[in-house]
């Protein structure tokens, strides 16, 4: 296996980690409006991700940085062609981080309500747009012979990509509801489980349609295996949340995300960004990659740094592993 193939796999792993971790982050943000009944319950939900949300976003930075260094042509075409949706995502992530930090800085009801509204929308919009972006990457976009995107913003809003956006939106919200049931106690835990069951059924319908469409249009035997794993894991996540096994359900919803991302990257390879105009203009792991020396240096750096990152992030989750409820939230002054 060539080094550019290795880095294609590593980038797929980074995106999998980001969607697994940030997925329930986004889900919790959306649930602050769908699930929480009052200000105290919103604080419970936000506190479930309070110690970890910023660490989860490191995976996005690493995935973007790895793409820039390992596949500069892919990065240039992707970030120039998808400039507007990626800019919207970036603004949402900035506002979302500010909202988490500033929400409790002042006691006024209007101040906190506005920041909580910001948390909801800046969680919902990226959850949808990431699916749209990856749907277009897999489906193919208008790339010319000079490796430049020549389409428009409206070309990105095609039926396949919109369905992909709905899948990530519902899947992340389901993932977040399962996480909320795993991290809370009392009435909010019971309502999280009930909502997760409803969301899981809706997610299953959307995901099955999207995955079948992907398999029929671009799939092979390997992607079919990943699709089957994703579907079985999602069914298992729904069944285990119904049985009250939140830990198993969370693990299985995570496997669903991982298998779905694996399927998308398997349908891409050896392309990294197909052209809908001419197959000869596809960006591939070979024609879009950096030099072998650059990839070699990156591999050494990743081999040293990655275990350290995984250790400290795993330690963070272990320290903040206990459940919380409204009784753990102090009354507002």
């Amino acid at each position: 296996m060539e080094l550019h193939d290795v880095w294609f796999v590593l980038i797929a792993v980074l995106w999998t980690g980001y969607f697994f971790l940030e997925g329930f982050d986004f889900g919790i943000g959306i649930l602050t409006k769908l699930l929480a009944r009052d200000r105290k319950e919103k604080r419970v939900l936000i506190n479930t991700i309070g110690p970890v949300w910023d660490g989860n976003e490191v995976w996005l930075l690493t995935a973007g940085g790895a793409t820039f260094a390992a596949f500069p042509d892919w990065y240039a075409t992707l970030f120039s062609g998808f400039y507007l949706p990626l800019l919207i995502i970036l603004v949402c992530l900035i506002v979302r981080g500010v909202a988490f930090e500033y929400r409790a800085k002042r006691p006024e009801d209007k101040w906190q309500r506005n920041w909580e509204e910001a948390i909801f929308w800046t969680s919902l919009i990226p959850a949808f747009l990431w699916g749209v972006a990856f749907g277009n990457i897999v489906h193919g976009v208008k790339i010319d012979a000079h490796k430049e995107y020549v389409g428009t913003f409206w070309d990105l809003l095609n039926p396949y990509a919109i369905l992909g956006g709905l899948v990530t939106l519902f899947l992340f919200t389901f993932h977040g509801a399962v996480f909320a049931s795993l991290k809370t106690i009392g009435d909010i835990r019971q309502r999280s489980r009930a909502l997760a069951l409803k969301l899981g059924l809706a997610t299953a319908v959307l995901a099955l349609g999207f995955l079948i469409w992907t398999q029929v249009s671009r799939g092979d035997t390997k992607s079919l295996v990943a699709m089957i794993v994703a579907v079985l894991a999602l069914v298992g996540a729904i069944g285990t949340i119904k049985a009250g096994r939140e830990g198993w359900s969370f693990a299985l919803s995570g496997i669903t995300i991982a298998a779905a991302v694996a399927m998308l990257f398997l349908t891409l390879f050896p392309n990294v960004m197909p052209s809908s105009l001419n197959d000869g203009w596809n960006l591939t792991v070979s024609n879009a990659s950096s030099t072998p020396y650059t990839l070699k240096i990156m591999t050494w750096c990743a081999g040293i740094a990655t275990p350290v990152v995984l250790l400290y992030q795993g330690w963070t989750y272990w320290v903040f592993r206990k459940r919380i409820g409204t009784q753990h939230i102090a009354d507002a002054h």
Side-chain angles (χ1 to χ4, degrees):
M1 180 181 287
E2 300 289 339
L3 278 180
H4 52 61
D5 298 332
V6 172
W7 274 97
F8 179 83
V9 174
L10 291 177
I11 289 172
V13 171
L14 290 171
W15 280 110
T16 300
Y18 175 67
F19 287 143
F20 177 87
L21 297 172
E22 191 81 325
F24 67 76
D25 262 13
F26 289 143
I28 291 294
I30 295 169
L31 291 175
T32 57
K33 184 178 285 289
L34 300 183
L35 180 65
R37 291 177 174 173
D38 53 32
R39 175 66 42 73
K40 185 169 283 190
E41 289 192 349
K42 289 182 179 181
R43 291 169 64 189
V44 169
L45 290 175
I46 293 172
N47 284 359
T48 62
I49 60 172
V52 297
W53 68 266
D54 49 354
N56 293 344
E57 291 187 355
V58 171
W59 289 78
L60 172 61
L61 300 175
T62 308
T67 304
F68 171 77
F71 299 100
D73 287 333
W74 182 14
Y75 181 92
T77 304
L78 175 64
F79 280 78
S80 59
F82 292 18
Y83 181 83
L84 183 56
L86 291 178
L87 176 62
I88 294 172
I89 291 174
L90 178 60
V91 171
C92 285
L93 294 179
I94 293 171
V95 174
R96 187 168 176 266
V98 173
F100 282 136
E101 298 295 335
Y102 275 63
R103 177 187 56 86
K105 295 297 183 182
R106 288 171 56 178
E108 292 89 346
D109 180 73
K110 183 179 180 181
W111 171 273
Q112 296 192 9
R113 186 172 64 251
N114 287 341
W115 285 120
E116 288 163 0
E117 195 74 19
I119 290 172
F120 170 76
W121 287 107
T122 57
S123 298
L124 184 148
I125 293 172
F128 174 74
L129 288 181
W130 279 127
V132 172
F134 272 82
N136 277 291
I137 292 173
V138 173
H139 187 258
V141 292
K142 294 179 179 179
I143 300 174
D144 64 12
H146 303 290
K147 302 179 182 179
E148 295 180 359
Y149 177 73
V150 293
T152 67
F153 170 76
W154 302 109
D155 291 326
L156 303 178
L157 300 180
N158 56 79
Y160 177 81
I162 291 174
L163 178 57
L166 291 174
V167 170
T168 52
L169 175 59
F170 275 80
L171 181 56
F172 291 168
T173 309
F174 168 69
H175 195 42
V178 174
F179 182 76
S181 67
L182 179 66
K183 289 288 293 180
T184 58
I185 56 178
D187 180 59
I188 193 171
R189 175 189 178 190
Q190 302 302 322
R191 286 187 282 114
S192 298
R193 284 169 50 186
L195 182 58
L197 182 59
K198 296 176 183 178
L199 289 168
L201 295 174
T203 302
V205 174
L206 292 170
L208 187 61
F210 179 75
L211 294 177
I212 290 175
W213 192 346
T214 304
Q215 179 62 30
V216 170
S217 60
R218 292 188 174 274
D220 55 15
T221 304
K222 294 179 181 178
S223 63
L224 178 61
V225 172
M227 171 184 162
I228 293 172
V229 172
V231 171
L232 292 178
L234 181 56
V235 171
I238 297 170
T240 48
I241 195 64
K242 183 178 181 181
R245 304 294 297 274
E246 294 100 339
W248 280 104
S249 183
F250 182 71
L252 288 169
S253 65
I255 292 173
T256 301
I257 293 173
V261 174
M263 180 187 180
L264 295 182
F265 275 88
L266 285 170
T267 58
L268 270 178
F269 188 80
N271 299 316
V272 294
M273 206 167 176
S275 172
S276 60
L277 300 178
N278 188 324
D279 288 343
W281 298 341
N282 291 349
L283 298 183
T284 68
V285 292
S286 55
N287 69 18
S289 67
S290 294
T291 63
Y293 181 74
T294 300
L295 296 177
K296 183 178 180 180
I297 296 298
M298 289 175 59
T299 304
W300 277 104
C301 293
I304 296 171
T306 301
V308 177
V309 174
L310 293 176
L311 283 173
Y312 82 69
Q313 194 162 24
W315 177 80
T316 303
Y317 276 92
W318 174 255
V319 170
F320 295 100
R321 66 189 182 278
K322 293 184 179 179
R323 296 177 182 267
I324 62 173
T326 53
Q327 62 268 41
H328 299 116
I329 303 298
D331 292 331
H333 296 291

